[in-house]
Amino acid sequence: MNVENRYVTIKHPIEGKPLMSDFEVRTEQLTLEIQKGSKDVIVKNIFVSIDPYQLNRMKAESASQKASILSSCISPGQKIDAHGLGRVVESGNDKWKKGDLITGFLGWEEYSLVKPWPEPNKIEAVDQFPLSCYLSVFGNSGLTAYAGLFHIGKPKKGDKVFVSAAAGSVGNLVGQYAKLAGCYVVGCAGSKKKVDLLKEKLGFDDVFNYKEEPELMSALRRYFPDGIDIYFDNVGGEMLEVAIANMNAFGRVAACGAISEYTDKKKRARIDMMDVIYKRITISGYLASDYIHVYPDFVSMTSEHLSHGRMHAVEDISHGIENVPSALVELFEGVNIGKKLVQVSEI
Amino acid sequence: MNVENRYVTIKHPIEGKPLMSDFEVRTEQLTLEIQKGSKDVIVKNIFVSIDPYQLNRMKAESASQKASILSSCISPGQKIDAHGLGRVVESGNDKWKKGDLITGFLGWEEYSLVKPWPEPNKIEAVDQFPLSCYLSVFGNSGLTAYAGLFHIGKPKKGDKVFVSAAAGSVGNLVGQYAKLAGCYVVGCAGSKKKVDLLKEKLGFDDVFNYKEEPELMSALRRYFPDGIDIYFDNVGGEMLEVAIANMNAFGRVAACGAISEYTDKKKRARIDMMDVIYKRITISGYLASDYIHVYPDFVSMTSEHLSHGRMHAVEDISHGIENVPSALVELFEGVNIGKKLVQVSEI
């Protein structure tokens, strides 16, 4: 059987913030049939994940090479692999059968032909939580939050934790984990709606709208009169500078993203190394993929908290493959609240 | 008995690089007598240590507060405490008797009245190495090098190690330790004389004169075609930026000083957080004082290597208390090679 498979690609390398005009949706004919002897699997995608790091793969070659540690650069016209969740429609592989729900590296497209290696991970316990959770709170964003807070931040009860981009896919979970660990948690976000959600629903001790603060340095002094012990950095740039200036001795920075620097490298943080040295601060960059070994602990803790209503999954879901470009563009405009997903077919 | 005690002080808070005109030598009358009931000790100083961090204590209040984590700010006219080595001339303390050689926090002066707390540490094994070694290779500089390389850098055989200010008191020892740990070691320094010493006497694999490199980025690419695993940072600023740009995945930066930033905060490093995150780099500021617990291991390893000629103590000794100001000034001109000390009396 033949189907039309729509996929998203870039028209040219992207500089600065992504624009709708950088993308196009193309259509290919796909035969839903596995070649004899092949172990391929064809998946009909249901959810695809929209993540800021994808922009770094789309830049001109020199800039995108850094991102290639995580995954290869994207050339114009090429399909874009991305985390996703879908249902097997054809399988040449004993491990997967038609109808199985799987998650793994799929793509910004309606159907994905998956090679047996790297294998998509079979979902377990799909009956317990909504499917989208497997790309949000149980996906890369969840593991990033968990690993960064617990393995880099190493929170102790009473620690003062600052989270930037706190309404983002990772930040909101970091704050929730930190509260459960007995920390004092302040986040920053870019709209009243985000601030309210974090304070009222997710239990942050305090949240401020950084767009309404004329001076970040004095804002942090006000929110952290006793200094910051752990800074969870999603944004880099000036916020990182002032967070370090307000850190306590032996402070830890878990650096998982630098979204303010992705679109403008002039915004790089000018870090005061005097602070870093005298206060013995550690700044650690990390990727969730280095923490696969803690995945079982992460899932066990997280599902326990979710089941008992002590944590909440915050998702922002658009519909239709044609809305993937706007979903990415809006990520850099700060429109989304929580994990940004696009649902490309019905469950 | 009364003696004249000459001591060094600052005339005013210092901005930018220190100048001779910032300092003065004052004289006080000191009675070499311990008050009845006091546990004080009077020490005739032999060597005093000259360290870049002292400048940070001499800045205007707001700037010197950072340095106050390590030791208090210095006000104009005030005596300046500093590591030193001297001989007890009067003692009201059972632990110390006249004639004992001691090392600890003394001061930039000819005699120091030492309060029993914090106690000066009694020197052991003074017969094995020249006395000056207890302020250089066995002093704070040595422990800084040892702790930074082994406890933060965590070198594995074959690791590529870059050391800035490699002819400085700490840098030269880091390079020597790293060679003994089986690493490939490249240093940078500011004169041909320094470069030659590091290559010919101390066994660095390569050394370059950063003043002769039109472009630091390409210099590091040339000296580290396979990237840097450990960067031992004494200088901050641009060198830190380019070192991070040339680091390998899981690279470690041991930040012990930022001398280029001490005299000009405009020189702060603009660190590319994309490198830090994608390459999972860790930048750790630290102070030797946090590693007192490894002091016995450090002394045992170091004395073993020194005794067998596998390590060398490099010292740069001036004479006379009146030469303390020029010694500090020259530190920021890059004049010294190895540990800068001033000998203020005969042994």
Side-chain angles (χ1 to χ4, degrees):
Chain A
M1 194 181 91
N2 267 15
V3 292
E4 292 207 325
N5 181 30
R6 289 185 298 164
Y7 62 95
V8 175
T9 185
I10 55 170
K11 293 189 206 163
H12 40 248
I14 300 182
E15 268 185 80
K17 283 193 178 184
L19 302 169
M20 290 296 287
S21 56
D22 294 325
F23 299 90
E24 62 184 333
V25 178
R26 294 191 182 181
T27 304
E28 64 173 5
Q29 296 297 315
L30 184 73
T31 308
L32 296 188
E33 223 167 79
I34 302 293
Q35 279 199 307
K36 223 176 157 149
S38 150
K39 290 191 182 311
D40 292 356
V41 169
I42 299 175
V43 178
K44 186 174 186 192
N45 297 332
I46 300 169
F47 291 105
V48 297
S49 179
I50 312 294
D51 301 281
Y53 81 88
Q54 296 282 15
L55 177 67
N56 296 326
R57 308 173 63 198
M58 299 170 182
K59 294 177 181 174
E61 200 179 342
S62 63
S64 64
Q65 266 171 356
K66 285 177 189 179
S68 69
I69 287 177
L70 189 57
S71 38
S72 58
C73 309
I74 297 165
S75 305
Q78 198 187 320
K79 288 184 169 186
I80 298 168
D81 55 311
H83 275 110
L85 180 144
R87 195 181 293 279
V88 173
V89 290
E90 291 295 336
S91 175
N93 199 306
D94 292 346
K95 288 185 82 170
W96 316 107
K97 62 176 200 297
K98 207 170 162 164
D100 280 355
L101 284 163
I102 61 119
T103 178
F105 266 104
L106 302 172
W108 283 355
E109 56 186 344
E110 291 177 304
Y111 291 86
S112 291
L113 182 73
V114 179
K115 299 281 170 194
W117 192 93
E119 284 179 8
N121 304 300
K122 197 162 180 178
I123 288 175
E124 292 165 32
V126 290
D127 50 349
Q128 200 180 356
F129 301 106
L131 283 187
S132 56
C133 283
Y134 296 92
L135 289 187
S136 64
V137 65
F138 292 118
N140 217 47
S141 304
L143 183 57
T144 302
Y146 178 89
L149 184 71
F150 292 108
H151 289 266
I152 292 176
K154 297 190 175 73
K156 294 181 300 294
K157 205 176 163 194
D159 272 354
K160 319 288 181 292
V161 178
F162 176 48
V163 186
S164 59
S169 60
V170 177
N172 87 82
L173 295 171
V174 171
Q176 294 187 70
Y177 283 130
K179 279 310 300 170
L180 290 164
C183 300
Y184 174 79
V185 182
V186 177
C188 71
S191 75
K192 184 175 183 309
K193 198 172 158 194
K194 293 177 181 179
V195 169
D196 290 347
L197 175 88
L198 295 170
K199 276 164 76 167
E200 285 157 26
K201 187 169 173 196
L202 303 187
F204 281 56
D205 293 290
D206 220 329
V207 186
F208 64 91
N209 182 344
Y210 66 90
K211 291 178 183 166
E212 289 179 354
E213 293 291 342
E215 236 250 306
L216 292 178
M217 186 66 94
S218 56
L220 283 188
R221 273 200 200 118
R222 207 163 66 243
Y223 285 98
F224 290 98
D226 299 322
I228 299 167
D229 297 302
I230 299 173
Y231 172 44
F232 194 91
D233 186 21
N234 277 301
V235 302
E238 190 192 352
M239 196 67 88
L240 175 56
E241 286 173 25
V242 297
I244 284 177
N246 283 284
M247 286 198 107
N248 292 328
F250 302 103
R252 293 132 272 160
V253 176
C256 101
I259 198 166
S260 78
E261 301 181 24
Y262 292 175
T263 54
D264 182 358
K265 70 180 185 180
K266 285 196 291 292
K267 289 195 175 157
R268 277 182 198 165
R270 290 176 65 245
I271 292 174
D272 186 347
M273 290 304 291
M274 290 252 313
D275 276 319
V276 173
I277 296 164
Y278 280 108
K279 297 196 288 194
R280 295 85 119 193
I281 291 169
T282 297
I283 304 167
S284 302
Y286 75 102
L287 298 175
S289 50
D290 301 321
Y291 290 87
I292 293 300
H293 59 288
V294 304
Y295 193 81
D297 297 336
F298 150 66
V299 168
S300 137
M301 177 203 265
T302 308
S303 54
E304 176 76 10
H305 286 317
L306 275 175
S307 309
H308 291 84
R310 294 187 296 255
M311 279 183 78
H312 302 277
V314 184
E315 294 162 356
D316 184 329
I317 304 178
S318 304
H319 293 266
I321 190 74
E322 66 281 6
N323 287 317
V324 164
S326 61
L328 186 75
V329 167
E330 289 177 359
L331 216 55
F332 288 89
E333 307 286 350
V335 174
N336 64 302
I337 300 189
K339 177 71 189 180
K340 185 71 206 178
L341 298 174
V342 176
Q343 181 164 6
V344 298
S345 72
E346 292 307 307
I347 295 171
Chain B
M1 196 182 87
N2 267 16
V3 292
E4 292 208 322
N5 181 32
R6 290 185 297 165
Y7 63 95
V8 174
T9 185
I10 54 169
K11 293 188 206 162
H12 41 248
I14 300 181
E15 266 186 80
K17 283 195 178 183
L19 302 170
M20 291 294 286
S21 57
D22 294 326
F23 298 91
E24 62 184 332
V25 178
R26 292 190 183 182
T27 304
E28 65 171 6
Q29 295 298 314
L30 184 73
T31 307
L32 294 188
E33 226 168 76
I34 302 294
Q35 279 198 309
K36 225 177 152 145
S38 149
K39 290 190 182 313
D40 292 356
V41 169
I42 299 175
V43 177
K44 186 176 186 188
N45 297 331
I46 301 170
F47 290 105
V48 297
S49 179
I50 311 294
D51 301 281
Y53 81 88
Q54 296 282 17
L55 178 66
N56 296 327
R57 308 172 64 197
M58 299 171 182
K59 294 177 180 172
E61 201 181 343
S62 63
S64 64
Q65 268 171 354
K66 287 180 186 177
S68 70
I69 288 176
L70 189 57
S71 39
S72 58
C73 308
I74 297 166
S75 304
Q78 198 186 322
K79 288 183 171 189
I80 298 168
D81 55 310
H83 275 109
L85 179 144
R87 193 179 295 277
V88 173
V89 289
E90 292 294 335
S91 175
N93 199 305
D94 292 346
K95 288 186 81 171
W96 316 106
K97 63 175 198 300
K98 203 168 165 168
D100 279 357
L101 283 164
I102 61 115
T103 179
F105 266 104
L106 302 174
W108 284 354
E109 56 185 342
E110 292 177 301
Y111 292 86
S112 291
L113 182 73
V114 180
K115 299 282 170 194
W117 192 91
E119 282 178 10
N121 303 302
K122 199 164 180 178
I123 289 175
E124 292 163 32
V126 289
D127 50 349
Q128 201 182 354
F129 300 105
L131 283 187
S132 56
C133 282
Y134 296 91
L135 289 187
S136 64
V137 65
F138 292 118
N140 216 48
S141 304
L143 183 58
T144 302
Y146 177 90
L149 184 70
F150 292 108
H151 290 267
I152 292 176
K154 297 190 175 76
K156 295 181 299 295
K157 208 178 161 190
D159 272 355
K160 317 288 181 292
V161 178
F162 176 48
V163 185
S164 60
S169 61
V170 177
N172 86 83
L173 295 171
V174 171
Q176 294 188 69
Y177 283 130
K179 280 308 301 170
L180 290 164
C183 299
Y184 174 80
V185 181
V186 177
C188 72
S191 75
K192 184 175 183 311
K193 199 172 157 192
K194 292 177 180 179
V195 169
D196 291 347
L197 175 90
L198 296 169
K199 277 164 78 165
E200 285 156 26
K201 188 170 173 193
L202 304 187
F204 280 58
D205 292 291
D206 220 331
V207 185
F208 64 92
N209 182 344
Y210 67 91
K211 293 178 182 166
E212 289 179 354
E213 293 291 342
E215 237 252 307
L216 291 178
M217 186 67 94
S218 57
L220 283 188
R221 273 199 201 120
R222 207 163 66 243
Y223 285 98
F224 290 98
D226 300 322
I228 298 168
D229 298 302
I230 299 173
Y231 172 44
F232 194 92
D233 186 23
N234 277 300
V235 302
E238 190 191 353
M239 195 67 86
L240 175 58
E241 286 173 23
V242 297
I244 284 176
N246 282 284
M247 286 198 107
N248 292 328
F250 301 104
R252 292 134 273 160
V253 177
C256 99
I259 198 165
S260 78
E261 300 180 26
Y262 291 175
T263 54
D264 182 359
K265 71 180 186 182
K266 286 197 290 294
K267 288 194 176 159
R268 278 182 198 164
R270 288 176 66 243
I271 292 173
D272 186 346
M273 290 304 291
M274 291 254 308
D275 276 319
V276 173
I277 295 164
Y278 279 108
K279 298 196 288 193
R280 294 85 120 193
I281 291 170
T282 296
I283 303 168
S284 302
Y286 75 102
L287 298 175
S289 50
D290 300 319
Y291 290 88
I292 293 299
H293 58 288
V294 304
Y295 193 82
D297 298 337
F298 149 66
V299 168
S300 139
M301 177 202 267
T302 308
S303 53
E304 176 77 9
H305 286 317
L306 275 176
S307 308
H308 291 83
R310 294 188 297 256
M311 279 184 79
H312 302 276
V314 184
E315 295 163 356
D316 185 328
I317 304 179
S318 303
H319 293 267
I321 190 76
E322 67 280 7
N323 287 316
V324 164
S326 60
L328 186 76
V329 167
E330 288 179 359
L331 217 57
F332 288 89
E333 305 288 348
V335 174
N336 64 301
I337 300 190
K339 177 68 188 181
K340 186 70 204 177
L341 298 174
V342 176
Q343 182 163 7
V344 298
S345 72
E346 293 307 307
I347 296 168

